Amino acid sequence: AASDVYKRQVMAWVGLVVIFALIVLVIVTGVTGSKYFMPSLALVIIVPILIYVVLWLGKVLQNHKKNRS
């Protein structure tokens, strides 16, 4: 149980670092006028949604697995 909490905390920090890096990327590409501004802006929107979906699916599948046994 403790290792499960530790895994969640590590994944939360990894997610925060990735999102923070994407925000910095958007700021840098926006200020410099790079052609990668729009793709990086799209990533800032898509990545948190994907993280949410993966966490939701993990929770749904874990509950499904508990209910079957």
Side-chain angles (χ1 to χ4, degrees):
S3 65
D4 192 38
V5 172
Y6 179 72
K7 286 180 192 175
R8 285 178 181 253
Q9 287 179 345
V10 168
M11 291 307 292
W13 278 106
V14 168
L16 284 173
V17 168
V18 167
I19 291 169
F20 180 75
L22 286 171
I23 291 170
V24 169
L25 179 68
V26 166
I27 292 170
V28 169
T29 55
V31 168
T32 59
S34 172
K35 65 180 180 178
Y36 297 112
F37 174 70
M38 289 306 282
S40 62
L41 193 60
L43 283 176
V44 167
I45 295 168
I46 293 169
V47 167
I49 293 172
L50 286 176
I51 291 172
Y52 176 80
V53 167
V54 167
L55 290 175
W56 176 75
L57 274 175
K59 195 177 290 187
V60 167
L61 292 176
Q62 191 175 29
N63 287 340
H64 179 70
K65 190 176 180 183
K66 283 182 183 176
N67 290 340
R68 288 189 77 200
S69 57

